[in-house]
Amino acid sequence: LPADRSRLMSQTTAKPPTAPPNVKMVGRYSVLRELRRDRYTTVYLAYDPVLARELIVKSVQLHPSQGGDRAAHERVEQAFMRQAQAAGRLHHPHIVTVFDAGHVNQIGYIALEKVDGKLLEELLAEGYRPGFLQAADIVARVADAVEFAHSKAVPHGHLSPSRIYLQ
């Protein structure tokens, strides 16, 4: 598989529980199917009815804290929105584009560009082994994207083959 372009997916680091199962809408986006659920986030393939396109919606449950600590809840929500805003400042050919962010019904979300390709992690699990020049090209593109993000004061989050798409 040629490494024409590699993209990095931004990672939010908020720590509340994931979104409830069987979500049909997140903001204005219609959920087509759940793609991945991890400890803190749920990722959906979704449809934007306004712009008539598929995209990725990454969500995090924003619960009020136990015991009514409204200030703690507001800090989590503000941290999530700061991370979304930071990721939204990144316009680079090797970084996934953020289209929108918000919160509705105690769910924070980021709407992201849908990348046609496969995760490097999946390709490696399937036996893909890039040659030296191809591996160097992938690493150079990732390094370029990370350098760009850092120049905008945006940390790269959890950088691993599970966050790198090859197209």
Side-chain angles (χ1 to χ4, degrees):
L1 186 70
D4 300 343
R5 294 170 35 198
S6 47
R7 300 266 183 132
L8 298 175
M9 181 177 276
S10 61
Q11 171 70 23
T12 61
T13 57
K15 306 248 185 242
T18 58
N22 302 321
V23 171
K24 302 289 185 225
M25 298 286 292
V26 177
R28 75 174 194 227
Y29 307 105
S30 301
V31 171
L32 300 176
R33 72 178 196 271
E34 186 175 305
L35 298 175
R36 185 176 69 246
R37 181 178 289 263
D38 62 27
R39 190 171 175 188
Y40 305 117
T41 61
T42 307
V43 179
Y44 302 102
L45 176 63
Y47 182 76
D48 181 346
V50 174
L51 299 176
R53 65 177 170 193
E54 287 185 352
L55 44 70
I56 302 299
V57 173
K58 187 173 188 177
S59 69
V60 63
Q61 189 72 39
L62 299 173
H63 280 297
S65 299
Q66 298 290 336
D69 187 352
R70 184 73 187 145
H73 169 66
E74 288 177 5
R75 283 192 302 274
V76 168
E77 190 171 327
Q78 290 169 357
F80 177 79
M81 292 311 295
R82 278 193 308 272
Q83 291 168 359
Q85 291 167 346
R89 290 193 311 265
L90 301 178
H91 301 287
H92 187 276
H94 304 305
I95 299 175
V96 170
T97 302
V98 174
F99 296 135
D100 186 21
H103 54 87
V104 62
N105 299 327
Q106 297 185 12
I107 295 176
Y109 66 88
I110 301 175
L112 303 160
E113 167 188 16
K114 178 185 169 207
V115 176
D116 293 323
K118 268 195 152 174
L119 286 170
L120 179 57
E121 176 181 62
E122 292 172 2
L123 292 169
L124 293 172
E126 293 170 1
Y128 171 66
R129 299 296 179 261
F132 176 77
L133 292 177
Q134 205 170 22
D137 183 56
I138 293 167
V139 170
R141 291 167 191 267
V142 170
D144 183 50
V146 169
E147 179 183 35
F148 177 80
H150 286 184
S151 75
K152 302 291 185 189
V154 178
H156 56 70
H158 304 284
L159 184 58
S160 72
S162 68
R163 303 279 188 247
I164 299 170
Y165 283 89
L166 297 185
Q167 293 180 301

